[in-house]
């Protein structure tokens, strides 16, 4: 009778989930994940994960981290990092929170799986646990996200990772300083083609094709351009690239308005589900571990509301810690699939998050890292984005790659504090990446941006 009481007129007879205690399967999954998040095991894991994110960001090379800790000791290192905002010792911050400057917040998001940590933090109560009253607002497209951030209608938002760089530079909008606090997701995108093109798997056959990307200042645009250019096509002359909001991509593919898209999930998998498209390739096969979306806000908001921002940072990183664990992915799919969030069939979202999926070509694939949620905003990621913006003419003239990367991708404040304390700041934050077999060295970014046979710099 604890769960069911058919003879109580004041109590609904809830029978919409497996246990009978919740209104829906999504509510049941959220309750299960909340229980997991409150376990001592997860609390310890989450604390260590968040601390590790900070340390990994400061010390990309483990040997340097170990030398630093041996030189200054654990307590001194923790004190140095803990004195910095936002890359602070988040365990210590959780125990000694400052007063929240602004409790009621609006956070924008686009309904795609890239926003999983930001979205799931809402039904799981992670924002509330940090003393925040957060409204996550589903938004139609990236231009609207940008405009609402510029107009201060949103306090923080789900960004495409190139967007804060572009907005800070005044590319495509007025220049307003923005910051990336965490990367929301890595990988998690694909090139989807219409079913009629199953015999055109070689991109050299795509001359005249029409492709969609979600926004000009997106990894989708820059990865698609990179991919076709490597095949010898000029993306500005040999194909057409148009901006289409992610929720409209499948309908445009079905209608024949586009031949394909490099887009975010779940819309790649949704095209397979609807039998109108197939997965040509996952973007992890172009650059494994590439950034896609980010969580961020304006520099002004951080400066005026440091404790509020710290609380947001903790909530989103806690969600990322939970999302990285494979055993949570099926439940997360149930939580974020409903209409208030992604509004997608649960099976579509589950295929994306678990990495067990149909590819539309008759195969069932098992790619556990199809989507991941590594939150570290490497500044070399920002440098690569800037080289591609320059390559394709989105920015003109010389670009101070590192200066912009360090202003927007929040990684180096802790190093400044260490120097002030008389310590030698660790070297790093600019790891190399391999993109389609070619190594990107951020120390040689200018030469890299000019090294391509096809480009419009």
């Amino acid at each position: 009778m604890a769960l069911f009481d058919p003879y109580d007129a004041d109590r609904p007879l809830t029978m919409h989930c497996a246990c009978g205690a919740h209104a829906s399967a999504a509510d049941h999954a959220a309750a299960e994940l909340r229980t997991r998040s409150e376990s001592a095991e997860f609390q310890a894991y989450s604390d260590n994960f968040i601390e590790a994110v900070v340390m990994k960001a400061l010390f990309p090379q483990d040997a340097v981290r170990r030398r630093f800790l041996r030189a200054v000791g654990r307590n001194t290192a923790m004190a140095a990092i803990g004195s910095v905002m936002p890359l602070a010792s988040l365990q210590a911050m959780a125990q000694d929170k400052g007063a929240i400057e602004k409790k009621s917040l609006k956070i924008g998001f686009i309904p795609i799986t890239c926003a999983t940590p930001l979205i799931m933090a809402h039904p799981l109560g992670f924002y509330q646990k940090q003393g925040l009253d957060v409204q996550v607002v589903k938004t139609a497209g990236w231009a609207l996200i940008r405009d609402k951030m510029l107009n201060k209608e949103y306090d923080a938002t789900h960004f495409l990772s190139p967007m804060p760089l572009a907005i800070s530079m005044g590319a495509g909008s007025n220049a307003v300083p923005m910051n990336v606090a965490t990367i929301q997701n890595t990988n998690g995108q694909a090139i989807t083609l219409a079913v009629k093109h199953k015999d055109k798997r070689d991109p050299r056959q795509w001359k005249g094709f029409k492709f969609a990307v979600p926004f000009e200042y997106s990894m989708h645009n820059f990865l698609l351009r990179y991919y076709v250019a490597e095949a010898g096509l000029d993306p500005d002359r040999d194909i057409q690239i148009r901006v289409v909001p992610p929720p409209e991509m499948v309908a445009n593919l079905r209608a024949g308005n586009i031949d394909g898209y490099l887009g975010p999930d779940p819309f790649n998998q949704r095209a397979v589900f609807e039998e109108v498209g197939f997965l040509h390739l996952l973007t992890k096969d172009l650059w494994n571990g590439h950034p896609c979306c980010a969580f961020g806000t304006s520099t002004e908001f951080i400066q005026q509301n440091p404790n509020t921002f710290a609380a947001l940072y903790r909530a989103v990183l806690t969600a990322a810690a939970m999302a990285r664990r494979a055993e949570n992915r099926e439940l997360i799919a149930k939580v974020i699939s409903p209409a208030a969030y992604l509004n997608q069939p649960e099976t579509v979202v589950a295929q994306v998050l678990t990495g067990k999926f149909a590819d539309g070509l008759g195969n069932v694939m098992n790619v556990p890292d199809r989507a991941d949620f590594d939150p570290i905003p490497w500044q070399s990621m920002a440098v690569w984005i800037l080289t591609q913006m320059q390559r394709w003419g989105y920015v003109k003239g010389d670009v101070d790659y590192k200066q912009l990367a360090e202003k927007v991708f929040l990684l180096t404040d802790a190093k400044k504090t260490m120097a002030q304390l008389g310590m030698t700041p660790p070297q790093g934050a600019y790891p190399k990446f391999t993109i389609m077999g070619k190594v990107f060295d951020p120390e040689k970014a200018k030469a890299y941006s000019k090294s391509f046979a096809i480009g419009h710099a």
Side-chain angles (χ1 to χ4, degrees):
M1 297 296 287
L3 296 179
F4 306 103
D5 189 350
Y7 303 106
D8 185 345
D10 296 320
R11 183 176 176 183
L13 185 58
T14 303
M15 299 182 69
H16 299 294
C17 74
C19 75
H22 307 98
S24 67
D27 288 347
H28 178 95
E32 172 62 27
L33 288 170
R34 278 194 296 270
T35 299
R36 292 184 189 183
S37 75
E38 291 165 0
S39 70
E41 184 271 337
F42 178 76
Q43 291 287 345
Y45 163 80
S46 179
D47 285 349
N48 288 334
F49 173 85
I50 292 171
E51 200 77 12
V53 166
V54 176
M55 290 298 285
K56 182 67 175 175
L58 291 168
F59 301 94
Q61 299 176 344
D62 195 55
V64 177
R65 178 187 65 86
R66 285 181 280 134
R67 285 199 300 271
F68 176 75
L69 291 174
R70 290 191 188 107
V72 305
R74 180 188 185 93
N75 292 338
T76 301
M78 289 182 70
I81 295 168
S83 66
V84 178
M85 178 57 218
L87 282 180
S89 172
L90 297 177
Q91 292 179 31
M93 288 168 62
Q95 296 166 4
D96 184 25
K97 299 175 187 174
I100 300 294
E101 299 91 356
K102 186 175 183 181
K103 182 177 180 180
S104 296
L105 304 170
K106 284 187 176 181
I107 300 178
F109 76 94
I110 301 292
I112 55 179
T113 50
C114 304
T116 292
L118 187 156
I119 294 171
M120 63 184 274
H122 186 254
L124 297 189
F126 292 166
Y127 297 120
Q128 188 177 15
K129 190 175 288 187
Q130 298 298 332
L132 301 172
D133 177 15
V134 167
Q135 180 183 356
V136 290
V137 185
K138 188 188 297 188
T139 311
W142 292 108
L144 194 56
I145 286 275
R146 176 198 61 203
D147 294 345
K148 286 183 176 289
M149 282 299 296
L150 292 175
N151 295 334
K152 301 182 181 180
E153 294 177 53
Y154 290 165
D155 298 288
T157 195
H158 170 201
F159 274 130
L160 293 161
S161 51
M163 285 176 64
L165 291 163
I167 297 170
S168 296
M169 297 169 67
S173 70
N174 293 331
V176 176
M178 295 282 168
N179 289 116
V180 168
T182 74
I183 296 298
Q184 279 283 286
N185 70 302
T186 53
N187 299 334
Q189 327 300 310
I191 295 178
T192 296
L193 294 178
V195 290
K196 65 183 179 182
H197 294 312
K198 285 184 179 181
D199 61 341
K200 294 181 180 176
R201 301 298 306 282
D202 186 337
R204 289 175 294 184
Q205 299 174 291
W206 294 355
K207 195 165 185 177
F209 274 28
K210 298 174 183 176
F211 282 95
V213 296
F215 199 58
E216 283 192 308
Y217 299 100
S218 68
M219 287 297 294
H220 311 83
N221 185 25
F222 299 136
L223 287 174
L224 177 62
R225 287 171 170 273
Y226 194 106
Y227 180 64
V228 298
E230 288 294 294
L233 299 184
D234 186 322
D236 290 313
R237 297 187 176 95
D238 296 325
I239 64 172
Q240 293 182 38
I241 301 177
R242 58 183 62 173
V243 171
V244 176
E248 299 175 18
M249 286 180 168
V250 175
N252 275 274
L253 195 68
R254 180 187 292 108
N257 297 330
I258 54 176
D259 296 285
Y261 51 84
L262 199 159
D265 274 310
F267 297 104
N268 302 295
Q269 200 62 46
R270 184 64 186 263
V272 175
F273 181 80
E274 300 283 351
E275 299 182 347
V276 298
F278 67 93
L279 303 183
H280 171 66
L281 61 73
L282 302 178
T283 51
K284 75 174 288 292
D285 297 326
L286 302 179
W287 173 0
N288 193 12
H290 73 80
C292 180
C293 292
F295 170 68
T297 185
S298 67
T299 306
E300 180 185 11
F301 181 87
I302 296 174
Q303 292 170 346
Q304 293 180 355
N305 307 281
N307 297 324
T308 300
F309 180 73
L312 275 173
Y313 193 58
R314 286 190 297 269
V316 173
L317 281 185
T318 300
M322 177 158 274
R324 293 211 77 186
R325 302 182 79 163
E327 64 267 27
N328 295 327
R329 297 285 183 90
E330 287 191 12
L331 288 175
I332 292 170
K334 292 180 183 292
V335 170
I336 67 175
S337 295
Y341 303 118
L342 298 188
N343 194 27
Q344 293 291 322
E346 181 193 321
T347 183
V348 171
V349 179
Q351 286 184 73
V352 173
L353 294 184
T354 64
K356 297 175 183 177
F357 59 92
D359 67 357
L361 294 168
N363 306 304
V364 176
M365 312 297 288
N366 187 9
V367 186
D369 59 348
R370 172 179 176 170
D372 203 359
F373 302 97
D374 185 344
I376 301 174
W378 296 116
Q379 287 164 346
S380 49
M381 291 175 173
V383 172
W384 184 86
I385 291 167
L386 290 166
T387 67
Q388 300 307 296
M389 289 172 66
Q390 188 176 49
R391 176 185 181 182
W392 301 114
Y394 288 95
V395 294
K396 306 293 185 182
D398 289 334
V399 176
D400 191 330
Y401 302 109
K402 283 193 172 183
Q403 182 186 54
L404 277 166
E406 291 172 9
K407 279 184 178 180
V408 178
F409 278 44
L410 294 175
L411 261 179
T412 55
D413 285 354
K415 294 184 180 182
K416 182 174 17 175
T417 299
M418 289 177 187
Q420 291 170 350
L421 293 172
M423 296 180 286
T424 301
Q427 299 301 308
Y430 287 93
K432 298 177 183 179
F433 298 110
T434 301
I435 301 150
M436 290 191 69
K438 186 175 182 179
V439 174
F440 168 61
D441 183 349
E443 300 297 333
K444 301 174 182 177
K446 189 172 184 178
Y448 177 85
S449 70
K450 296 179 179 179
S451 68
F452 299 99
I454 299 174
H456 306 299

